[in-house]
Amino acid sequence: MAPGIAPKPAVPITAAQPKKPGHMLVLGTGFVGRYVSERLLAQGWQVPGTCTSAAKKMELGMNASIFDATRSNLANLHAMQDATHLLISVPPIPGVGDPLLSSHADLQRTLTDGNLQWLCYLSSTGVYGDCGGAWVDEDRVVNPNKESSKLRYAAEEGWLDLVDDLDLSAFVRRLGGIYGPGRSALDTIAKRKSLSRTQKLRESKQYTARIHVADIYQAILASMGVRSARKIYNVVDDDPAPRAEVFAFAQSLIEKRYPDLATDSAGPDSQDRIIAGEKRVSNARLKEELGVRLVHPSYRSGLQSILDSWLAESTTSSKM
């Protein structure tokens, strides 16, 4: 489906019994994949994952296979055969697209022959493109204006089309900007890191969709007890505040608790750089259909929890 065309209708959701611990394969154990894996393991799930290097495998401390989707043979990924659940957290590659979908026939055969019941692809709210600051929901016609967002949308459609003939639940999660412990405005300020070029470009946005990783996890869990196909959910918090506002709040938190870490140069330069926003993303479907209650409905709660975890860690360390 080309951008600018309304999405295909989803199959209606039907209630199902809550899932007992299963076997989830996590393709891509980055920030989100690792967070989800660790918590499912604690619940008794079998959770193998994939990573791209031996060093990353050692760092993960979990059952992970070294798998480069652009080079590795899918048939060698034996965990795919055993998995009841599949979480795809592998970003598309410029000039290639989704590297797993490039082996469509092999992938479909593997999914058909295995034990898969549930599939979730992690995408981005960037697929909506510039909407002039309007509120957008999942029925909004997509219009990605960046190459990365176009590839994301193509991957969404590719995964949903792949499972059309399979008897399993398939979901797409369109994530806002992801943050959490170790990856937040607080961490940027505390580490005195310079903003990347992409981060600086975001400074000019009036509205920015974001989501705490803990809420991504519960959004994933919430769909495991339902049956549906081609269902798309925005996973964002309630407050599409500009990046400059978020950094200002993070700066104030650090100044109160850790004044020696405070700096004036880590965050966006000025509120004066803000221009008309692209979009405000609605999470109403996530709440109404899946019953998700956000742990962190605003960046304020999310950043405060991260700062509180720093204090807890420092208190624990001082007692050792």
Side-chain angles (χ1 to χ4, degrees), residues 207-287:
Y207 306 112
T208 305
R210 65 184 54 80
I211 188 70
H212 192 286
V213 67
D215 285 315
I216 298 174
Y217 173 63
Q218 69 159 338
I220 290 171
L221 284 186
S223 65
M224 289 184 181
V226 297
R227 289 283 296 172
S228 182
R230 303 193 69 91
K231 200 68 180 182
I232 297 172
Y233 290 95
N234 295 329
V235 184
V236 298
D237 68 17
D238 298 339
D239 187 0
R243 186 177 176 84
E245 181 181 314
V246 176
F247 266 88
F249 182 74
Q251 182 82 11
S252 68
L253 289 179
I254 286 184
E255 286 175 350
K256 292 175 183 176
R257 189 75 63 84
Y258 302 103
D260 56 316
L261 295 180
T263 175
D264 294 328
S265 59
D269 296 336
S270 170
Q271 290 273 11
D272 295 338
R273 296 186 62 178
I274 292 176
I275 59 175
E278 290 189 333
K279 56 188 168 287
R280 288 171 285 178
V281 183
S282 170
N283 57 21
R285 177 182 289 180
L286 182 73
K287 295 178 177 179

Side-chain angles (χ1 to χ4, degrees), residues 75 92 119 122-123 132 136 143 168 204 218 242 252 266 291 306 317:
L119 177 150
L122 299 184
S123 184
V136 300
N143 188 28
L168 55 85
S204 62
Q218 69 159 338
S252 68
I306 293 169
S317 298

Side-chain angles (χ1 to χ4, degrees), residues 11 35 40 52 56 70 93-94 98 111-112 116 139 149 166 195 197 210 224 243-244 249:
V11 176
Y35 189 96
L40 288 179
T52 56
K56 182 66 174 180
T70 62
I93 300 172
D98 189 301
L111 297 182
T112 302
L116 201 64
D139 293 325
S149 297
L166 304 179
L195 295 180
R197 179 176 178 275
R210 65 184 54 80
M224 289 184 181
R243 186 177 176 84
F249 182 74

Side-chain angles (χ1 to χ4, degrees), residues 97-278:
D98 189 301
L100 289 162
L101 290 173
S102 62
S103 56
H104 185 284
D106 290 342
L107 182 57
Q108 189 170 45
R109 184 167 51 253
T110 301
L111 297 182
T112 302
D113 295 342
N115 300 310
L116 201 64
Q117 303 166 9
W118 179 96
L119 177 150
C120 180
Y121 176 73
L122 299 184
S123 184
S124 165
T125 56
V127 299
Y128 294 114
D130 188 345
C131 302
W135 281 99
V136 300
D137 62 16
E138 294 85 350
D139 293 325
R140 176 83 179 204
V141 176
V142 300
N143 188 28
N145 52 10
K146 296 179 182 177
E147 185 62 25
S148 60
S149 297
K150 293 176 182 178
L151 293 176
R152 280 286 188 189
Y153 182 65
E156 286 185 11
E157 290 294 291
W159 280 103
L160 292 178
D161 289 345
L162 183 72
V163 301
D164 267 350
D165 298 326
L166 304 179
D167 183 25
L168 55 85
S169 294
F171 299 89
V172 166
R173 297 286 189 275
R174 289 176 177 165
L175 309 180
I178 303 163
Y179 76 103
R183 176 174 164 169
S184 71
L186 291 169
D187 295 277
T188 299
I189 294 171
K191 296 174 183 177
R192 294 177 170 83
K193 293 172 60 178
S194 298
L195 295 180
S196 67
R197 179 176 178 275
T198 301
Q199 289 173 322
K200 289 178 179 178
L201 289 174
R202 292 178 190 149
E203 296 174 27
S204 62
K205 292 184 179 181
Q206 184 175 355
Y207 306 112
T208 305
R210 65 184 54 80
I211 188 70
H212 192 286
V213 67
D215 285 315
I216 298 174
Y217 173 63
Q218 69 159 338
I220 290 171
L221 284 186
S223 65
M224 289 184 181
V226 297
R227 289 283 296 172
S228 182
R230 303 193 69 91
K231 200 68 180 182
I232 297 172
Y233 290 95
N234 295 329
V235 184
V236 298
D237 68 17
D238 298 339
D239 187 0
R243 186 177 176 84
E245 181 181 314
V246 176
F247 266 88
F249 182 74
Q251 182 82 11
S252 68
L253 289 179
I254 286 184
E255 286 175 350
K256 292 175 183 176
R257 189 75 63 84
Y258 302 103
D260 56 316
L261 295 180
T263 175
D264 294 328
S265 59
D269 296 336
S270 170
Q271 290 273 11
D272 295 338
R273 296 186 62 178
I274 292 176
I275 59 175
E278 290 189 333

